[in-house]
């Protein structure tokens, strides 16, 4: 949308025509006709270089699809940057027919933001949503590196001379730089083990295989310990069984001796 709705291939970012865009937009339809089109890569290559725009930008969006402001949700709820983000919204609404008549004075924008976001007064906001709580999801290095690669691409693009004079590009690059720093820190934490990855996190194929191998090794190690423990117990019970057997034999011998003595006494009395 920064480019006003220019159609680009999702993977290569090359310019494409409308047919190729909707082929990507509706992949099921494309797969049915893949043979007729000659293959996805071939179509994208042939369509590259044709500047085409989303029809909705021309027919459905007044003023086109170029954003009037770029706003960060994280910055909007922050006490330090929230009022400035709220002011961006107010500036966009200023002078708009049917809206400006109901827009309060600039001086009150910060106060309204503080009452809504900090003091939680008035209508409910996204911060008051019930039934949903924030959860921390961890990502493996594969995902984080892909995110970082895309962040770098966007920073380079919208920080170039073509864009550097536009405020929306400046704001976007500033937001992206914050995300870049956060991703770089998260990668360090994953590498150092400060972020413990679990099977429920977003794992790339290499990390998932490594974790499966580690789990298997731990399982094998535990099994080996169990076997050793059972072996130690076997030796104990073997000794115990031997002693019990010796005791039973001794008791039988004593019983035989007592029985023989009793027989001898009876024979002696008879004699």
């Amino acid at each position: 949308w920064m480019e006003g709705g220019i159609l680009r291939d999702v993977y290569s970012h090359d310019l494409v025509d409308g047919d190729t865009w909707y082929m990507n937009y509706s992949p099921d339809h494309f797969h049915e006709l893949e043979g007729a089109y000659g293959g996805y890569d071939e179509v994208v290559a042939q369509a590259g270089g044709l500047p085409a725009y989303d029809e909705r930008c021309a027919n459905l969006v007044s003023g086109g699809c170029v954003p009037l402001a770029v706003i960060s949700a994280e910055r909007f709820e922050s006490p330090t940057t929230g009022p400035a983000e709220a002011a961006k919204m107010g500036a966009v609404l200023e002078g708009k027919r049917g809206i400006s008549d109901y827009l309060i004075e600039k001086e009150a924008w910060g106060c309204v933001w503080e009452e809504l976001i900090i003091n939680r007064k008035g209508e409910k906001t996204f911060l008051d949503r019930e039934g949903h709580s924030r959860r921390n999801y961890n990502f493996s290095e594969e995902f984080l590196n892909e995110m970082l690669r895309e962040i770098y691409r966007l920073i380079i693009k919208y920080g170039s001379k073509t864009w550097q004079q536009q405020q929306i590009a400046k704001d976007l690059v500033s937001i992206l730089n914050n995300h870049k720093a956060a991703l770089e820190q998260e990668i360090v934490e994953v590498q150092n083990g400060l972020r413990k990855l679990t099977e429920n996190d977003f794992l790339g194929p290499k990390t998932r295989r490594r974790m499966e191998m580690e789990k298997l090794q731990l399982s094998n190690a535990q099994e080996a310990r169990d076997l050793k423990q059972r072996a130690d117990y076997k030796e104990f019970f073997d000794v115990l069984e031997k002693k019990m057997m010796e005791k039973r034999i001794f008791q039988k011998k004593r019983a035989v001796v007592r029985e023989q003595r009793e027989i001898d006494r009876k024979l002696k009395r008879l004699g």
Side-chain angles (χ1 to χ4, degrees):
W1 301 117
M2 290 289 288
E3 297 178 303
I6 283 182
L7 302 181
R8 291 184 178 276
D9 175 57
V10 175
Y11 304 103
S12 68
H13 311 296
D14 292 334
L15 294 170
V16 295
D17 61 15
D19 288 339
T20 307
W21 169 261
Y22 289 109
M23 197 183 301
N24 189 28
Y25 184 76
S26 181
D28 292 339
H29 171 72
F30 166 69
H31 291 319
E32 292 175 1
L33 303 175
E34 186 172 0
Y37 281 114
Y40 181 78
D41 293 337
E42 182 179 342
V43 173
V44 171
Q46 290 176 352
L50 297 176
Y53 291 82
D54 193 319
E55 294 178 355
R56 292 169 292 186
C57 294
N59 303 325
L60 300 177
V61 182
S62 61
C65 287
V66 177
L68 299 175
V70 177
I71 297 168
S72 164
E74 291 88 350
R75 291 184 177 186
F76 180 75
E77 62 176 304
S78 168
T80 56
T81 55
E85 294 297 293
K88 289 182 187 179
M89 298 182 189
V92 169
L93 297 175
E94 264 189 317
K96 294 293 185 294
R97 188 175 63 181
I99 297 178
S100 59
D101 293 340
Y102 303 95
L103 194 63
I104 62 176
E105 292 76 11
K106 279 185 180 180
E107 293 74 17
W109 293 353
C111 179
V112 171
W113 174 88
E114 184 175 352
E115 292 298 302
L116 284 173
I117 304 301
I118 302 299
N119 299 326
R120 305 286 181 88
K121 293 182 179 179
E123 296 293 331
K124 287 187 176 182
T125 68
F126 64 96
L127 296 174
D128 303 306
R129 184 179 301 166
E130 297 179 356
H132 297 275
S133 59
R134 291 189 176 184
R135 296 174 59 187
N136 290 323
Y137 296 98
N138 290 321
F139 297 86
S140 67
E141 283 189 66
E142 296 100 314
F143 282 103
L144 294 172
N145 285 326
E146 285 299 319
M147 294 179 199
L148 199 57
R149 189 175 295 112
E150 181 64 10
I151 291 286
Y152 277 127
R153 185 187 73 82
L154 293 172
I155 289 174
I156 292 171
K157 177 176 180 176
Y158 293 110
S160 65
K161 292 182 179 179
T162 306
W163 292 91
Q164 63 185 6
Q165 299 304 318
Q166 299 188 39
Q167 187 59 45
I168 56 172
K170 293 179 182 179
D171 291 344
L172 178 60
V173 169
S174 176
I175 293 169
L176 291 173
N177 275 316
N178 286 347
H179 287 306
K180 178 174 74 71
L183 285 172
E184 290 171 339
Q185 178 61 33
E186 190 168 343
I187 289 175
V188 171
E189 291 175 0
V190 170
Q191 291 174 338
N192 293 340
L194 297 176
R195 282 181 180 264
K196 299 294 184 182
L197 298 177
T198 70
E199 293 178 349
N200 296 323
D201 289 325
F202 292 92
L203 307 176
K206 291 182 179 179
T207 300
R208 188 171 294 280
R209 283 196 297 270
R210 176 177 58 78
M211 290 179 66
E212 288 174 351
M213 289 299 297
E214 290 175 352
K215 184 178 180 180
L216 181 61
Q217 289 172 355
L218 287 174
S219 176
N220 291 339
Q222 183 61 45
E223 185 176 352
R225 286 193 295 271
D226 292 342
L227 288 173
K228 183 179 184 302
Q229 193 173 38
R230 286 197 293 271
D232 293 340
Y233 288 155
K234 182 179 183 301
E235 183 179 350
F236 168 79
F237 285 112
D238 285 346
V239 173
L240 180 62
E241 184 179 7
K242 182 179 179 181
K243 289 182 178 180
M244 292 176 66
M245 181 63 70
E246 291 174 350
K247 185 177 180 180
R248 285 196 295 270
I249 293 172
F250 175 74
Q251 290 173 341
K252 285 183 178 181
K253 286 181 177 179
R254 287 182 61 183
V256 169
V257 169
R258 284 197 299 269
E259 185 177 354
Q260 185 62 45
R261 285 177 179 174
E262 184 66 23
I263 292 172
D264 289 343
R265 283 198 297 273
K266 288 181 179 179
L267 290 174
K268 187 174 181 180
R269 283 198 298 270
L270 291 173

